[in-house]
Amino acid sequence: MYSELRFLDHGVEMGRMIREHAWWGNPVGTPEDWPQPLRFALGICMGSRVPTAIYWGEELRLFYNDAWAPIPAERHPWALGQRGQDVFPEIWDVVGPQFAQVIASGEGFATFDQRLDMMRGGRTHETYWNYSFTPIRDEYGKVVGILNQGHET
């Protein structure tokens, strides 16, 4: 569908889903209008074998690779392009301020064995995570997104 998104071929399933997703009407716009920092970050995301997500724009809209796809559990594939706080309302009180800190300071963030009580299979599960948030900047240095890598411990 979007031939200019060949770099998504590295993320086999999610790359296909991103190319075929109905982006019309989504605040991130259609792929031909995506800014270079998003395209570059998606190239990194799709090329990584580590669970990797991008939270993009002011609403922190989600993009993610195949390795990250199991994290939202039954919310995948619906989570693609959705606001992070809508995908993970049960943990937003923990991660929301961490995202805000990265956006405000422009500095990365990492945590180890962070407890996150996540909804899976219709019930809350106590989970622990190692993860990092890395700012993605535009050509003017403004933080326009966050690269998230991590895994459940």
Side-chain angles (χ1 to χ4, degrees), residues 36-99:
Q36 187 59 35
L38 176 56
R39 291 169 178 266
F40 183 76
L42 277 169
I44 292 170
C45 178
M46 293 298 122
S48 179
R49 296 299 168 241
V50 173
T52 305
I54 296 168
Y55 291 81
W56 185 256
E58 291 180 13
E59 294 186 321
L60 299 173
R61 299 264 172 180
L62 262 171
F63 294 85
Y64 50 93
N65 66 9
D66 290 340
W68 200 88
I71 292 172
E74 63 269 13
R75 292 171 273 204
H76 168 72
W78 167 83
L80 180 62
Q82 299 299 317
R83 296 182 326 153
Q85 67 185 20
D86 294 337
V87 176
F88 296 112
E90 72 275 16
I91 62 169
W92 207 254
D93 63 322
V94 175
V95 300
Q98 294 167 348
F99 281 120

